[in-house]
Amino acid sequence: MLIAEQLMLLLLDPERGQLDVRYDATDPDRLGAAALLLDLGDQRNLAYRNGYITYHPRFPSGHPLLVTAGEALAAAGPGVPLGAALDLIETRTRPVARTLLEGLHRRDLLHRIRHRAWLPWATWRYPLRSSQARNEALAILRNGSQRAPLREEGLLILVDCAGRLASFLDADAHTRATASLLALAHLRDSGDANASLLASLRATLLDE
């Protein structure tokens, strides 16, 4: 499952079927674009260095949204600033959050209900259908190791930028997670490419 899909499952209110982010937090589509960027990195299809993203596909992406995101980065050429890379992915995959939810619905992980269907501006809601996938995402968020930092630390960063971290962690775990996130600030210029990407991504999202 994509990091972006796990993020949507975490941000989704299981009963109301709506994405739940804090009013002053990062927009779900922006968070989805950031998650797709991490998915490309997780597949080793991009490189990050000194604030710039370079897309170099080595393995098939296997998901239409990742193909679209990769094509957007490829068209921009090598050395795209991180913020611009997020802009490109968000623009080309919009509405990324709803597209991800639709994909989860097609895989029978979510219901799909038209809210107030009699109104011309009625919207779709996606109540949770199966809790297994969401529980797996929760386990990664709460108990993640460092074996897959782009997925585990990435989910932590994105959920935090949505203003939802305290919803999933107890007090002790939240304190540890916050300390871990703050420590990322010192890794932006480290020799670890994954750590640098995560640190820069968090800083970029928080500065917007």
Side-chain angles (χ1 to χ4, degrees), residues 38-68:
L38 292 179
D39 276 308
L40 290 173
D42 195 43
Q43 294 182 352
R44 300 182 182 179
N45 284 338
L46 61 77
Y48 175 76
R49 185 174 183 181
N50 298 327
Y52 292 88
I53 295 289
T54 299
Y55 179 66
H56 54 80
R58 292 189 290 177
F59 306 100
S61 292
H63 191 287
L65 278 177
L66 291 186
V67 172
T68 301

Side-chain angles (χ1 to χ4, degrees), residues 132-193:
Q132 181 178 350
R134 189 172 190 269
N135 288 340
E136 289 173 358
L138 277 171
I140 290 172
L141 185 71
R142 291 171 173 167
N143 306 311
S145 67
Q146 296 302 309
R147 290 175 296 175
L150 284 180
R151 180 174 298 272
E152 293 151 357
E153 289 286 333
L155 277 176
L156 196 66
I157 289 167
L158 296 172
V159 171
D160 182 54
C161 288
R164 293 291 313 283
L165 198 57
S167 303
F168 302 115
L169 304 179
D170 61 28
D172 289 341
H174 188 270
T175 299
R176 292 193 299 271
T178 301
S180 175
L181 291 172
L182 291 175
L184 279 174
H186 304 290
L187 300 176
R188 293 181 67 175
D189 301 317
S190 71
D192 185 327

Side-chain angles (χ1 to χ4, degrees), residues 13 24 48 55 61 70-71 80 82 89 102 106 111-112 121 144 164 167 171 177 186 199-200 207:
D13 183 292
D24 58 345
Y48 175 76
Y55 179 66
S61 292
E71 289 174 348
V80 182
L82 178 57
I89 293 173
E102 284 287 335
R106 287 192 296 272
H111 296 286
R112 186 176 68 169
W121 56 85
R164 293 291 313 283
S167 303
H186 304 290
S200 298
D207 288 343

Side-chain angles (χ1 to χ4, degrees), residues 48-127:
Y48 175 76
R49 185 174 183 181
N50 298 327
Y52 292 88
I53 295 289
T54 299
Y55 179 66
H56 54 80
R58 292 189 290 177
F59 306 100
S61 292
H63 191 287
L65 278 177
L66 291 186
V67 172
T68 301
E71 289 174 348
L73 296 177
V80 182
L82 178 57
L86 290 176
D87 291 339
L88 287 168
I89 293 173
E90 184 178 0
T91 299
R92 289 286 296 274
T93 60
R94 186 178 288 127
V96 59
R98 180 176 173 183
T99 302
L100 288 163
L101 292 173
E102 284 287 335
L104 292 167
H105 163 66
R106 287 192 296 272
R107 286 154 57 189
D108 290 329
L109 298 176
L110 302 176
H111 296 286
R112 186 176 68 169
I113 300 171
R114 196 163 179 82
H115 181 59
R116 296 180 178 175
W118 64 91
L119 296 175
W121 56 85
T123 57
W124 291 104
R125 293 189 178 183
Y126 301 87

